[in-house]
Amino acid sequence: MKVSGLNSARLAGVLYDYTSTDNTADKDSGSIENLLSSNMAANNSALTALASKSKSATGYQKTLKAADQTNALLKKLTDQKKSVFVKERNAKDEEERAEYQADARSELSSFVSSYNLLITNLSQTGGKTNKNFLSDLNQYMEDHEEELAAAGVTRQEDGTLALDAAVLADADMDTLSGIFGPDADFTKGLGEQVQAIAERTATTVDTLQIYSTAYSNSGSYSQYEYIKGLYESQA
C-alpha cells in the first residue's frame, strides 16, 4: 500500500481502512513505518517550514513578556496619581519623602533592567520587524542621550542601557521626574514605542501558536506513536 501527500486527518482515515482490512497480503506489503515515512516524506517541506516557525515562537513570547514588563514600569512611573514622583512631592514629612526617593531610584533601576531584556530578546529573535524596532529604539535613546546621562543612564553599542548607581543617587528628584515622571516627554514617547512593540509581538505570538499547533498535529513523534499503536492493536 502506498500513501503520499496526505494531511494528518486523511492519513488517519487511510490508516483506519488499512488496519481494518482482512487482506493480510495487503498489510504485509508495507509496514506502518513505511506507510508513515512515505507520508512524512511527501509533506517534508511543509513540516520543515512549520517546525521552523514553531521553534521561533519561544523567542517572540520572551520578547512580548519583556515588552509588557517594560510598558508596565513606564506606566507606573508616569501615573498622574500613583507615580512615585507624585507621592514624593506630596510626602507628609522628610522620612516619608526619603522613602519615596529610594523607591524612585529602585524603579528606575528596574526599568533599565527590563528595557535591556527587551533589547536582548529583540536582537536574539531577529526578523526584519524586530530589526526596525531596535533601530527606532536606538535612535530614540540617542536623541535623549544628554538628559538620560543626568540620571546616570547611558546607551551602549549593543543598544542596551548602562546605569551608573552613583550618578543616579546624586541626581535630585526634579531632574529624575523631568526625565521619567508623569509629565516627561521621554517616557511618553518611549511608552508609545514599547506599546507598539508589545501589540505587534502579541499578534506574531498568536500566529506562531497556530503554526506550532499545525506542526504538532501534522506529524509529531507523539502522533506517530499513537497511530502506530492503533495499527498494532488491530493488526
Side-chain angles (χ1 to χ4, degrees), residues 67-68 71 74-75 190-200:
D68 283 341
N71 197 32
L74 288 171
K75 288 183 177 180
L190 182 60
E192 291 173 352
Q193 289 197 43
V194 174
Q195 179 65 32
I197 292 172
E199 291 175 354
R200 178 61 181 270

Side-chain angles (χ1 to χ4, degrees), residues 72-91:
L73 288 169
L74 288 171
K75 288 183 177 180
K76 185 177 181 181
L77 287 167
T78 58
D79 190 290
Q80 291 289 346
K81 294 182 178 180
K82 299 180 180 179
S83 170
V84 67
F85 295 111
V86 174
K87 293 178 179 179
E88 191 270 344
R89 285 198 298 268
N90 297 329

Side-chain angles (χ1 to χ4, degrees), residues 88 91-101:
E88 191 270 344
K92 298 176 181 179
D93 51 52
E94 288 304 314
E95 182 177 355
E96 186 178 60
R97 180 169 288 105
E99 290 179 358
Y100 286 133
Q101 290 175 357

Side-chain angles (χ1 to χ4, degrees), residues 49-61:
L50 287 174
S52 177
K53 292 181 180 296
S54 174
K55 289 179 181 178
S56 67
T58 300
Y60 282 98
Q61 288 168 348

